[in-house]
Amino acid sequence: MKSLGIFNNPTECRQIRELLASRGIPTDLNTGSFAGRGALLVCINEQYEDALALLKNPEHVVAE
């Protein structure tokens, strides 16, 4: 799994997860040691580049 970053805003994190899931990119949220923050992870490493592209452009067409 690769990290997309640490998010402090739960609403923003939920929106990003929903966007990625709607395009077939599963994510996980690790809040273990981040005290109120969460590290958003892309579950399938091959989809990491597509996830980054979707964050920049929500109209990106996912390849994997």
Side-chain angles (χ1 to χ4, degrees):
M1 285 195 269
K2 292 187 176 186
S3 175
L4 288 175
I6 297 173
F7 293 84
N8 294 317
N9 183 323
T11 301
E12 177 187 22
C13 189
R14 179 182 46 79
Q15 291 171 339
I16 291 170
R17 290 187 80 186
E18 288 173 0
L19 170 66
L20 296 176
S22 75
R23 301 303 197 291
I25 299 177
T27 60
D28 190 22
L29 184 62
N30 181 347
T31 58
S33 62
F34 294 107
R37 301 181 296 166
L40 186 59
L41 307 167
V42 175
C43 294
I44 302 170
N45 289 341
E46 290 78 13
Q47 292 183 318
Y48 181 74
E49 294 298 325
D50 277 320
L52 290 177
L54 275 170
L55 293 179
K56 291 179 184 175
N57 175 12
E59 300 303 319
H60 171 75
V61 177
V62 175
E64 295 274 338

